[in-house]
Amino acid sequence: MAGGEYKRVHDRSVADIEQFWGGEAERIYWHEKPRAALDDSRSPFNHWFPGGQTNLCHNAIDRHLPARADQHALVYISTETDQTRTFTYGQLYREVNRLAGVMRGLGVGRGDRVLIYMPMVPEAIFAMLATVRLGAVHSVVFGGFAAASLAARIDDAKPRLIVTADAGMRMGKVIALKPLLDEALGLASVPEAQVLMLDRGLVSGAARVAGRDHDYARMRGVHMNDEVPCEWVPSSHPSYILYTSGTTGRPKGVQRDTGGYAVALASSMEYIYCSRPGDAWFCTSDIGWVVGHSYIVYAPLINGSTTILYEGLPTRPDPGVWWKIVQDYRVTGMFSSPTAIRVLKKQDPAWLARYDLSSLKYLFLAGEPLDEPTSDWISRGLGVPVIDNYWQTETGWPILTAQPGIEDTPRKIGSPSFATYGYKLEIRDEHTGAALGNGHKGVLCIVPPLPPGCMSTVWGDDERFVSTYFSSFEGPPVYTTFDWATRDEDGYYFILGRTDDVINVAGHRLGTREIEEAVQSHANVAECAVVGVADPLKGQVPVAFVVVKDSTRIDSPVTNAAHEQEVQRAVDAHIGGIGRPSRVHFVAALPKTRSGKLLRRSIQALAEGRDPGDLTTLEDPTALEQVRNALKAG
Ligand code: AMP
């Protein structure tokens, strides 16, 4: 175990919450100071910094104006549209005020929801910041989600306003967004939502619905000189909703507070990310994911850094593009994902040596297991330490990580090191719920209180928050991560995969139930099972096993292949390309227990070439043979 400072800080953060977090709260601006660090009288519904009044946008922008009005706040680089746009803190302030004026004019006020369905453009960040400026609540939906997924999120969040763009771009190809939104609004039952569309000029003549759709540029012009004061909100006021997948087909709206989130992020920039105000910071995630919310937008801006927003691939126009950005902007800290690095690892390593990377101090990787070859390759190539972060949409910032801003503890490959300050962790026995000692595999749990920054509840469904996360074991409730873990004799944690039917594709969480529902939207699908199968590039990919209604449509390799594509397209249309099964295998029966439970684990084991395990409860033993044969047939 790490010796000195880390242990001292961690102990204090969980044992002396008032003193530790009360001190950390000083990092942000409070319109009204909190009267305490924590009110946990309604645990697990924590109230961090009760009595405090603040505003996220003020902390991200206004507070920096006296010292940093002329410093770059945001640098937008698009290798898709070949554009670079920079915004100082002063300019960011103006843009966000204009947009807040537009939103206010469209009737958005405190507590209203604003759904943001945007590509990686600065206006998406303006929209997030303008929303919280007004005390409204944003719900950013990843631009890669298709109409049905978007409609489900619209129905749940019931936005007053939806901010979108005509299109995004990927690999030089225009991907229209507005028609998907129109389709989603047709499916959803939120008739009163207004739409604000940024016209990037990528699609000619995007359809507009009169009275509902408003043009971003025109409205911006109308509100050019607006000054919109920050709405002071209680610390517990929701800042945003971010949907994430679980074991049911219905995504959960992770609800985040305001004050606790700001404090957690502000402290993390020093203790974990070693980033000083004024430093350039480059996080390659997408604003549609939690890493993008926390580490493209809020944390670097609250910290007074320069944040880089990158629209494009790491390999276009060439595989040196990210390293050129590091050189050109003197980036000190970079945050990416193992999948992105594995993509780069397939390229000529000379790209890593072409640019001056002397400004870079650390590379942080998160979202999925980090394998040793990837970690080694990039660490040697960049000449900087690679730090593995383990976290979840629910927590908003790392649960496990080395914390070099506190102490530069030695790192072990394959381990995201130790509990982040604020997190009291236990590994529990899956059946008995007993806390396990070092060397035993169990379920990773967080002993309440969840630290500041973590989710406060499931949007609109307190009961679901408790039943999903705090009800796995008898006795005093603990938060379940649904990840297997072990801890070695030196106190290092290792994450061993999910305990539930959630899979992780290129660092993004997908529920197999959600994909199964999308597969089932195809008219010829009678039954299906979707499992996550190990993939050298993306970590895992979904693979579907389907029982069809009409088998004459799959009676030759040609019709079979065509049918496979049809099913894949059904998933594209329902969820988006991110959920598309890499393969669809057709079988006559699915392996189930006699009580009708799908044996997903056995199917997954076969698909990964492993032993399918104990099959004594199998209803139809030939079903597994069919899966095996389908896999063999390729
Ligand atoms: P998401 O909420 O989409 O970020 O997914 C969170 C899940 O991704 C976790 O519950 C883990 O299963 C996985 N995960 C995230 N970071 C790591 C990591 N550093 N190592 C292993 N698994 C990770």
Side-chain angles (χ1 to χ4, degrees):
M1 166 61 82
E5 198 50 18
Y6 159 72
K7 192 169 173 344
R8 260 193 302 281
V9 171
H10 184 267
D11 284 353
R12 233 163 36 83
S13 72
V14 294
D16 194 356
I17 286 176
E18 283 302 319
Q19 218 251 334
F20 181 85
W21 287 106
E24 293 304 313
E26 302 284 323
R27 292 177 183 270
I28 70 159
Y29 173 80
W30 295 95
H31 186 64
E32 283 289 339
K33 292 259 184 214
R35 62 172 181 277
L38 174 66
D39 171 3
D40 61 354
S41 57
R42 285 183 60 241
S43 180
F45 300 96
N46 293 327
H47 189 162
W48 282 99
F49 308 113
Q53 301 247 353
T54 186
N55 181 288
L56 264 187
C57 184
H58 179 91
N59 277 290
I61 305 176
D62 304 36
R63 189 172 56 121
H64 301 306
L65 292 178
R68 305 187 183 279
D70 298 326
Q71 179 201 306
H72 283 162
L74 173 62
V75 175
Y76 162 66
I77 300 161
S78 173
T79 50
E80 295 289 352
T81 58
D82 211 10
Q83 261 187 314
T84 298
R85 293 162 68 194
T86 55
F87 301 87
T88 62
Y89 273 93
Q91 289 164 331
L92 183 62
Y93 172 82
R94 287 302 321 134
E95 288 301 335
V96 169
N97 272 272
R98 287 171 189 138
L99 188 49
V102 173
M103 288 183 178
R104 192 174 54 179
L106 292 171
V108 175
R110 189 181 176 115
D112 288 337
R113 272 78 61 209
V114 174
L115 190 138
I116 300 170
Y117 182 57
M118 297 277 272
M120 291 278 283
V121 290
E123 288 78 3
I125 295 185
F126 305 159
M128 293 167 79
L129 292 163
T131 302
V132 294
R133 188 171 190 86
L134 292 168
V137 181
H138 59 69
S139 168
V140 180
V141 177
F142 173 57
F145 277 126
S149 293
L150 177 57
R153 287 155 175 80
I154 293 173
D155 269 336
D156 194 70
K158 300 189 178 40
R160 184 176 285 268
L161 175 70
I162 300 176
V163 186
T164 192
D166 56 345
M169 275 187 81
R170 197 175 155 77
M171 290 166 72
K173 232 180 80 193
V174 172
I175 299 166
L177 286 182
K178 179 63 172 28
L180 295 181
L181 174 62
D182 289 338
E183 192 186 335
L185 281 169
L187 296 169
S189 46
V190 187
E192 68 278 13
Q194 302 272 302
V195 173
L196 182 67
M197 189 191 86
L198 173 73
D199 190 348
R200 305 177 77 192
L202 298 176
V203 179
S204 58
R208 309 252 166 121
V209 176
R212 186 199 74 182
D213 294 359
H214 308 272
D215 181 70
Y216 189 108
R218 200 187 69 75
M219 298 292 271
R220 175 178 177 272
V222 173
H223 294 271
M224 202 64 188
N225 301 314
D226 282 16
E227 292 270 345
V228 179
C230 286
E231 180 82 11
W232 302 115
V233 296
S235 177
S236 61
H237 185 76
S239 55
Y240 68 75
I241 310 166
L242 182 56
Y243 288 88
T244 188
S245 300
T247 44
T248 69
R250 199 162 57 94
K252 286 182 286 286
V254 166
Q255 178 180 321
R256 192 94 58 215
D257 73 353
T258 298
Y261 187 49
V263 170
L265 294 185
S267 69
S268 73
M269 287 307 271
E270 178 181 337
Y271 292 155
I272 303 173
Y273 299 107
C274 304
S275 180
R276 289 160 316 184
D279 281 356
W281 171 259
F282 181 18
C283 172
T284 71
S285 181
D286 188 289
I287 46 145
W289 309 118
V290 66
V291 174
H293 280 63
S294 293
Y295 291 104
I296 295 176
V297 185
Y298 290 113
L301 294 178
I302 289 172
N303 193 47
S305 311
T306 299
T307 188
I308 292 169
L309 176 73
Y310 177 73
E311 182 185 36
L313 298 178
T315 46
R316 280 178 94 247
D318 60 57
V321 58
W322 281 1
W323 316 124
K324 181 169 184 325
I325 291 173
V326 170
Q327 167 188 279
D328 291 354
Y329 294 92
R330 307 290 301 155
V331 169
T332 62
M334 195 167 160
F335 194 148
S336 192
S337 70
T339 291
I341 303 302
R342 286 193 291 264
V343 166
L344 289 169
K345 189 162 162 266
K346 293 180 146 193
Q347 315 289 330
D348 185 346
W351 286 107
L352 288 172
R354 182 169 291 207
Y355 297 101
D356 172 9
L357 305 179
S358 58
S359 60
L360 194 65
K361 291 189 292 201
Y362 292 100
L363 173 69
F364 300 89
L365 298 177
E368 54 180 316
L370 173 61
D371 54 286
E372 178 164 358
T374 304
S375 178
D376 257 5
W377 178 79
I378 195 68
S379 183
R380 271 190 282 109
L382 296 178
V384 299
V386 169
I387 296 191
D388 183 1
N389 280 189
Y390 159 81
W391 47 305
Q392 307 184 312
T393 305
E394 286 84 346
T395 63
W397 64 300
I399 302 168
L400 291 171
T401 178
Q403 292 138 71
I406 297 173
E407 183 186 350
D408 193 12
T409 52
R411 285 164 293 277
K412 289 194 187 184
I413 299 276
S415 165
S417 296
F418 314 117
T420 308
Y421 59 93
Y423 288 87
K424 196 169 169 191
L425 302 181
E426 274 179 2
I427 295 174
R428 295 269 186 126
D429 181 90
E430 161 192 28
H431 303 292
T432 66
L436 300 173
N438 293 344
H440 295 279
K441 174 179 168 179
V443 184
L444 185 67
C445 296
I446 307 173
V447 179
L450 294 181
C454 292
M455 74 187 293
S456 23
T457 187
V458 172
W459 174 255
D461 200 344
D462 284 351
E463 205 281 316
R464 197 173 176 200
F465 176 57
V466 178
S467 64
T468 302
Y469 297 106
F470 291 91
S471 306
S472 295
F473 304 112
E474 299 281 312
V478 290
Y479 171 94
T480 315
T481 62
F482 300 101
D483 280 304
W484 297 113
T486 58
R487 194 179 42 232
D488 73 6
E489 64 286 359
D490 299 321
Y492 286 76
Y493 284 81
F494 293 80
I495 298 295
L496 308 170
R498 296 283 301 194
T499 64
D500 56 9
D501 289 324
V502 163
I503 64 176
N504 191 313
V505 181
H508 304 310
R509 193 200 308 190
L510 292 167
T512 47
R513 275 298 313 146
E514 235 175 314
I515 305 175
E516 283 168 5
E517 281 178 19
V519 168
Q520 251 140 8
S521 71
H522 187 283
N524 197 30
V525 172
E527 260 192 301
C528 74
V530 170
V531 296
V533 176
D535 180 82
L537 194 64
K538 297 181 176 178
Q540 280 186 307
V541 289
V543 172
F545 294 85
V546 167
V547 179
V548 290
K549 290 178 186 158
D550 173 6
S551 58
T552 59
R553 296 188 58 189
I554 50 160
D555 57 5
S556 79
V558 175
T559 54
N560 199 318
H563 212 47
E564 173 168 12
Q565 279 175 21
E566 265 188 40
V567 172
Q568 287 169 326
R569 275 199 293 271
V571 177
D572 287 359
H574 213 79
I575 299 179
I578 180 176
R580 181 192 311 156
S582 68
R583 290 302 316 270
V584 179
H585 297 289
F586 298 103
V587 290
L590 292 170
K592 291 184 191 161
T593 61
R594 280 182 216 111
S595 56
K597 209 168 156 288
L598 255 178
L599 287 167
R600 283 204 190 77
R601 298 263 153 88
S602 306
I603 303 175
Q604 184 192 35
L606 281 182
E608 292 183 344
R610 292 183 284 113
D611 174 7
D614 176 15
L615 299 172
T616 46
T617 59
L618 201 63
E619 180 196 43
D620 170 5
T622 66
L624 216 57
E625 212 40 51
Q626 294 213 24
V627 168
R628 200 176 267 130
N629 290 340
L631 285 162
K632 247 192 247 152

